[in-house]
Amino acid sequence: ADQHKWLVSISVGVGLFAGALDTTVNVALPTITRAFDADVAEVQWIIIVFMTTSTSLSVGMGSAGDMFGLRRVFLFGLVTYALAMALMGFAANLPTLVGLRALQGVGTSAANATGPALVGLAFAARQRGRGLGVVTASQAIGTIAAGFVGGVLVDAFGWPAIFWARVPFILLALVLALGVLKTDPIGVTAT
């Protein structure tokens, strides 16, 4: 049981780490602008649509987690996020990329709204801060690494790499979550 709660924290942390890498998109914006022969106002929609979608759906995804199960909504978020990441690198035009960013926002909001709650339920009240600390630290590391990693990926492989490079992390989080989160802890609190 002691090992299980840490595995829950790690699986959620890996998923949210990949989400925190999203600031790599900011680094790639000039390259994407050139690739699609777009102007800055058009390319800004890549950021606007993602931020609007992910933020506006957060409360609803939390409620969905309460109704349908935190595990289900978290897994839905990871699958949706992975699908969006895989497809974005193949986007043939800017509207397709922007549309896929909306899909990514749906996945991000689902994972972000339910992941910390799953960790909170896995830990007893006196240790909950440590479990959530792993998740918070993974997000902080992702945010810090994003600028450097994004620049390296764009220079070496082009703008699609900033999306494709996150797919392995999401798939790892998905495999861990499927292995660790066997049941949906609706209304169950750790002791």
Side-chain angles (χ1 to χ4, degrees), residues 128-154:
R128 199 164 289 141
R130 291 181 195 166
L132 291 169
V134 170
V135 174
T136 305
S138 70
Q139 289 178 297
I141 292 167
T143 302
I144 291 165
F148 172 74
V149 171
V152 170
L153 288 172
V154 170

Side-chain angles (χ1 to χ4, degrees), residues 64-157:
D66 291 339
M67 288 191 315
F68 303 111
L70 296 170
R71 176 185 181 271
R72 282 188 192 101
V73 176
F74 183 70
L75 293 174
F76 164 78
L78 293 180
V79 169
T80 305
Y81 190 96
L83 181 64
M85 287 294 110
L87 293 175
M88 275 192 269
F90 295 109
N93 53 52
L94 190 57
T96 301
L97 184 58
V98 170
L100 289 168
R101 285 283 283 173
L103 181 65
Q104 179 197 353
V106 172
T108 299
S109 66
N112 285 348
T114 55
L118 285 165
V119 173
L121 288 173
F123 282 80
R126 67 185 182 281
Q127 290 186 317
R128 199 164 289 141
R130 291 181 195 166
L132 291 169
V134 170
V135 174
T136 305
S138 70
Q139 289 178 297
I141 292 167
T143 302
I144 291 165
F148 172 74
V149 171
V152 170
L153 288 172
V154 170
D155 287 346
F157 306 106

